[in-house]
Amino acid sequence: MQEVVLRTRGLTKRFGDLVAVDNLDLEVRRGEVLGFLGPNGSGKSTTVGMILGLIRPTAGSVDRMGIPLQRIGAIIEGPAFYPFLSGRDNLRALALAVNGMGERDIEQVLNLVGLGSSAHRKYQTYSLGMKQRLGIASTLLCDPELVILDEPTNGLDPAGQQEIRALIPRLAEEGRSVLLASHLLHEVEQICDRVAILRRGKLLAEGLISELTQQQAYLEIGVSDLATARELLSGLEGVGGVTIEEGFLHVDADASSGSLITKTLAEAGIYVSSLSQKHNSLEDVFLELTAESSAVQ
Amino acid sequence: MAPLLRSELFRLTHRMMTRVMLLAMVALIVGAYVLLWSSSGSLSEAEQLDQEEHMRLTNAPEYGMDIAYQVGFLLSVILASSSIATEYGWGTIRTVLARTDSRSAFLGAKLMGVVVFIGVSTLTGAASVFAGSAIVTAAGGLDAQLDGGFATRALLSCGRVFVVLIPYASLGFLVALWSRTTAAGIVVVVVAFYAEVLLTPLFEADGAFSWFPEDWLIYRNVRAILELNSPAPDLSFPDAWFGLGVLAVYSTGFLAAAFWRFNTRDVTLS
């Protein structure tokens, strides 16, 4: 079991009648990248605000396990820096405030995010992508134990996005923990170990991405007579729902049912041209969970 | 708090606004001396002699520091209001505060930065007064001899101007923090200042307002302290020690309210 570096228990925030975060239990472990997902207004930023002490919880607690705020690097709802300072001076000002890094370390961080050559320019002249890079650089000041990134690739060109996607797992390999809030589910799927899915302040699911997507595994079967095959398989032992999608049968069943299914179809004179186990993407899981939650509410 | 103060001073010294304000102060004060001198041709001989006496370098601590106060008042209120409100406007409050264990330390460092600026602007104002006076003294061929107590008088007048700039800057800071806008801080202070300056004589003039607590307001106590710069102080103002006490109560009250508000308010993110 990995060491927990951040834990929330029953974390709740109400703004008047609005419950922004509702009884949230969350854990971030050392050296992992936790994807923090949720539609707009789901309470992600409020949760991050409470973790960082910017917002006071109505109930519940945040335990940073003794990690001082100076050792938590965070971009919250986009980067925010002093427009009259250069990129380099912004990092100097922040490093001074947290009693942090020296000049050489600042240069290293700037080079790491590809801002070395434009660090002398004033922040107000930066493009969105450059601001984002500076934001990421700022999170790496003072050897952070926990890095919180909110949409870190927003505004970056494809090459920049790829650099950041490569950087985040490297941070985890160095033993840092990363909490990544993002709407880009394919990005999260590539980078993260675990995900937590939030909607209307409630935690809908939390776990390894592989576990969440495997829970929704199905068999995709290619046959000539889709309608008859569907009738034959519906009600078969070990088979859940059967649907026809894009010229294939989608059968809710695990791989061990494959032989029974092919035998049943063959006996009816329907021969299988292809059979493969598929699982839903994180996007499918996310959409399904958040849609279910909407329907319930 | 020391790291936060270092960061605050780093930003303050790298901000163009700070330099522009200090340069404007120099230009306004020296310009005021030159303009007053160049317009003295329209005065009667007695008035001219009086003005020359006031503008001589040796009398600058008595007469010139009032100009430094007038300019410093506006600049310190602008900087104090802007210092905290722009943190909200730029969103930088969440960048810095997210890495700060103590909100009070953050706000304390901000206030220390403002106090340092008020100190620097007082010294800049004094230097400008002495420079303007020296220019006029030299250009007009006035008596350039300095009295023995010049340095002491200059230091005391600087100290008095510094002290009386604090309450208005504190009020601007509080209002800007509460409203999260620089303009609100400046406007409220300017309105409070002029309301007091303009309304107090009206209340005083009519016996029906004898209950009006003019000696407990800010400006009359500011004047009570600045009058000490004058060789013939106006005795209608309260005692200077009383004035110092009242201004200290106002400043402490404004800053206590600012700390309370800052420590109890969520830093909402958008």
Side-chain angles (χ1 to χ4, degrees):
Chain A
M1 182 82 180
Q2 286 167 290
E3 178 194 353
V4 173
V5 296
L6 176 76
R7 176 180 289 134
T8 72
R9 282 283 172 265
L11 195 62
T12 302
K13 181 66 185 181
R14 291 191 193 91
F15 295 105
D17 291 337
L18 175 76
V19 183
V21 177
D22 191 0
N23 203 28
L24 179 67
D25 293 340
L26 192 70
E27 280 184 359
V28 182
R29 297 166 193 163
R30 183 170 301 283
E32 79 166 352
V33 184
L34 176 69
F36 197 37
L37 309 178
N40 290 334
S42 58
K44 300 191 297 292
S45 296
T46 304
T47 303
V48 170
M50 288 192 283
I51 289 170
L52 296 170
L54 298 175
I55 296 174
R56 282 183 167 67
T58 309
S61 63
V62 174
D63 189 349
R64 293 190 291 263
M65 305 294 168
I67 300 174
L69 282 171
Q70 289 88 341
R71 300 280 307 274
I72 300 178
I75 310 180
I76 315 140
E77 287 210 338
F81 292 97
Y82 298 97
F84 57 89
L85 290 180
S86 67
R88 182 179 287 112
D89 281 346
N90 263 297
L91 293 191
R92 280 180 182 146
L94 193 59
L96 278 172
V98 296
N99 221 357
M101 305 167 90
E103 285 295 311
R104 238 179 60 191
D105 301 320
I106 289 174
E107 291 308 316
Q108 259 180 5
V109 169
L110 283 166
N111 288 328
L112 184 69
V113 298
L115 273 184
S117 61
S118 44
H120 64 284
R121 282 175 49 191
K122 284 204 177 356
Y123 179 71
Q124 62 197 1
T125 68
Y126 278 13
S127 67
L128 179 58
M130 291 164 83
K131 288 176 179 174
Q132 199 67 259
R133 284 169 190 267
L134 187 66
I136 292 165
S138 76
T139 66
L140 303 178
L141 287 174
C142 308
D143 190 22
E145 288 191 53
L146 172 64
V147 177
I148 298 175
L149 301 171
D150 194 352
E151 304 289 351
T153 56
N154 188 23
L156 294 178
D157 55 29
Q161 289 178 11
Q162 206 166 26
E163 285 170 35
I164 300 307
R165 281 183 202 139
L167 171 68
I168 292 171
R170 280 213 308 274
L171 294 175
E173 281 164 20
E174 291 168 5
R176 308 177 203 279
S177 311
V178 181
L179 180 65
L180 172 70
S182 177
H183 290 109
L184 303 175
L185 298 167
H186 67 280
E187 181 175 279
V188 170
E189 203 163 8
Q190 283 173 35
I191 299 173
C192 297
D193 308 306
R194 291 191 309 130
V195 290
I197 300 176
L198 207 63
R199 182 177 166 84
R200 294 190 182 166
K202 277 188 181 296
L203 186 66
L204 298 182
E206 182 189 8
L208 291 168
I209 292 178
S210 54
E211 282 174 3
L212 287 175
T213 52
Q214 289 293 342
Q215 278 172 8
Q216 313 226 347
Y218 61 93
L219 296 175
E220 184 182 86
I221 303 171
V223 288
S224 51
D225 188 348
L226 289 165
T228 311
R230 182 171 63 177
E231 271 177 42
L232 282 168
L233 296 182
S234 297
L236 195 67
E237 193 186 334
V239 169
V242 183
T243 55
I244 298 170
E245 284 179 33
E246 296 173 359
F248 290 94
L249 281 181
H250 282 194
V251 181
D252 289 341
D254 59 35
S256 61
S257 306
S259 51
L260 177 63
I261 288 169
T262 49
K263 180 171 174 273
T264 307
L265 292 173
E267 282 172 356
I270 299 170
Y271 297 100
V272 171
S273 58
S274 66
L275 186 151
S276 56
Q277 189 181 26
K278 300 272 181 185
H279 55 78
N280 280 329
S281 65
L282 183 61
E283 189 170 359
D284 298 325
V285 174
F286 175 81
L287 290 173
E288 194 167 318
L289 281 170
T290 52
E292 275 174 15
S293 164
S294 295
V296 169
Q297 285 161 7
Chain B
M1 196 167 86
L4 286 163
L5 179 59
R6 278 201 296 275
S7 176
E8 184 63 29
L9 294 178
F10 176 84
R11 278 178 270 134
L12 205 57
T13 50
H14 282 72
R15 194 173 176 188
M16 183 65 83
M17 179 184 166
T18 317
R19 298 173 207 171
V20 168
M21 287 205 300
L22 292 175
L23 279 174
M25 181 175 226
V26 174
L28 281 168
I29 293 172
V30 174
Y33 261 94
V34 173
L35 269 175
L36 280 171
W37 178 251
S38 59
S39 64
S40 62
S42 60
L43 300 175
S44 68
E45 196 174 335
E47 286 171 333
Q48 265 189 30
L49 282 172
D50 193 40
Q51 192 185 54
E52 281 174 6
E53 190 58 21
H54 285 188
M55 297 183 94
R56 277 177 57 207
L57 183 55
T58 194
N59 290 330
E62 281 76 28
Y63 299 105
M65 287 305 285
D66 235 29
I67 309 174
Y69 166 71
Q70 304 285 347
V71 180
F73 159 76
L74 204 57
L75 298 192
S76 58
V77 170
I78 292 172
L79 188 106
S81 304
S82 154
S83 161
I84 186 69
T86 50
E87 294 279 357
Y88 285 101
W90 294 326
T92 43
I93 194 152
R94 60 179 196 249
T95 304
V96 183
L97 219 50
R99 289 199 147 192
T100 308
D101 284 319
S102 162
R103 288 190 182 199
S104 293
F106 173 84
L107 203 64
K110 278 243 152 272
L111 279 169
M112 292 289 284
V114 172
V115 169
V116 167
F117 175 80
I118 293 174
V120 170
S121 66
T122 303
L123 292 176
T124 306
S128 310
V129 164
F130 300 141
S133 182
I135 290 168
V136 169
T137 303
L142 307 178
D143 181 1
Q145 179 117 25
L146 297 180
D147 296 349
F150 177 80
T152 311
R153 287 186 291 116
L155 276 175
L156 282 172
S157 63
C158 278
R160 288 169 193 139
V161 168
F162 173 77
V163 164
V164 299
L165 289 176
I166 303 282
Y168 285 117
S170 306
L171 176 59
F173 189 84
L174 167 65
V175 175
L177 183 150
W178 208 291
S179 63
R180 302 177 222 197
T181 59
T182 304
I186 298 168
V187 167
V188 167
V189 172
V190 170
V191 167
F193 175 81
Y194 282 106
E196 189 182 344
V197 169
L198 298 174
L199 294 180
T200 302
L202 297 179
F203 280 97
E204 280 176 335
D206 192 331
F209 298 107
S210 56
W211 52 266
F212 188 69
E214 68 263 21
D215 281 353
W216 293 91
L217 301 180
I218 299 178
Y219 185 66
R220 280 183 60 78
N221 290 293
V222 164
R223 285 291 355 147
I225 291 172
L226 289 180
E227 280 300 313
L228 293 179
N229 287 342
S230 168
D234 182 344
L235 297 176
S236 68
F237 292 109
D239 172 70
W241 286 109
F242 174 85
L244 189 63
V246 171
L247 295 184
V249 168
Y250 272 111
S251 303
T252 308
F254 294 147
L255 296 181
F259 272 91
W260 172 79
R261 186 69 181 134
F262 192 65
N263 278 311
T264 53
R265 181 162 70 186
D266 286 336
V267 179
T268 44
L269 306 174
S270 53

